[in-house]
Amino acid sequence: MRRIGYFFGQLLFLPHVILFLFATKKEIIIADLYARKQRREVLLQQCYDLSLELFTSRYFRTLFYFRTQGFFSKILRIFYPKHPSFTIDIHTKIGSGLQLAHPYSTILNAERIGDDVYVNHLVTVGESKGKKPTIGNSVELHAACIVIGGITVGDHAVIGAGAVVVKDVPAYGIAVGNPARIIHSQK
């Protein structure tokens, strides 16, 4: 019975699949779709997975709308809304493979966010005094962490739960606490 419900739910997202098929950022959307699971190479399977993810995850839908900005995308948002508590600033440059682990009440407002970044819930990445942070590749942003200001978080860094980061974090660094301090740095 559940499969039948999913099937009819996925049919509602056929306009999204058409938007995906004509998207200029198709490879980035595919990387986002398979950031947390095994990638499938056949286009029909990708369309099936995309429609299922759009139906079951409003967080992913928010990211999808961010990737497919345009008139048709805006029309679809009216009928299939994005998640109200997950915000991505339209000027933020986000790399491929963004991993969203239930990003409830999350704000992403950065200069740049790299590839394969993991984002948990209650994360705030924002500006301070007009300056936005730059997040490297393969960074982990854990629950309730805050990264603000014109700082740089290096590649493969980990920002612990509840950390408030206002200074640079080196590559492979682990930042915890309020204010955040580096407890481990690997070169």
Side-chain angles (χ1 to χ4, degrees), residues 11-158:
L11 286 178
L12 295 173
F13 286 91
L14 281 178
H16 291 77
V17 172
I18 293 168
L19 180 62
F20 161 74
L21 292 173
F22 292 100
T24 57
K25 297 181 180 180
K26 190 184 304 182
E27 282 303 314
I28 294 174
I29 294 169
I30 291 170
D32 292 336
L33 178 63
Y34 294 110
R36 296 173 52 103
K37 58 187 171 188
Q38 181 71 29
R39 181 178 174 150
R40 302 205 292 182
E41 297 300 326
V42 178
L43 183 62
L44 188 60
Q45 291 174 329
Q46 290 173 349
C47 291
Y48 174 84
D49 291 344
L50 177 70
S51 65
L52 182 62
E53 193 71 22
L54 288 166
F55 175 61
T56 59
S57 174
R58 287 175 70 189
Y59 301 121
F60 182 79
R61 199 179 313 157
T62 301
L63 181 60
F64 178 80
Y65 289 146
F66 175 79
R67 300 286 192 204
T68 59
Q69 296 172 4
F71 179 74
F72 191 51
S73 179
K74 287 179 174 46
I75 297 293
L76 289 175
R77 287 180 212 182
I78 295 169
F79 300 104
Y80 309 99
K82 57 187 184 174
H83 199 283
S85 73
F86 177 41
T87 304
I88 303 173
D89 181 73
I90 61 169
H91 301 293
T92 299
K93 294 171 185 68
I94 300 178
S96 63
L98 185 65
Q99 302 172 46
L100 302 173
H102 63 282
Y104 173 79
S105 196
T106 292
I107 299 170
L108 301 178
N109 182 14
E111 203 58 49
R112 182 187 162 281
I113 296 176
D115 296 334
D116 305 316
V117 171
Y118 170 86
V119 178
N120 213 313
H121 61 282
L122 301 170
V123 170
T124 299
V125 177
E127 67 179 88
S128 177
K129 299 177 184 170
K131 295 184 179 181
K132 298 178 182 181
T134 299
I135 310 293
N137 297 323
S138 301
V139 171
E140 295 180 21
L141 301 171
H142 289 276
C145 75
I146 299 171
V147 180
I148 56 172
I151 64 168
T152 299
V153 177
D155 294 344
H156 304 280
V158 176

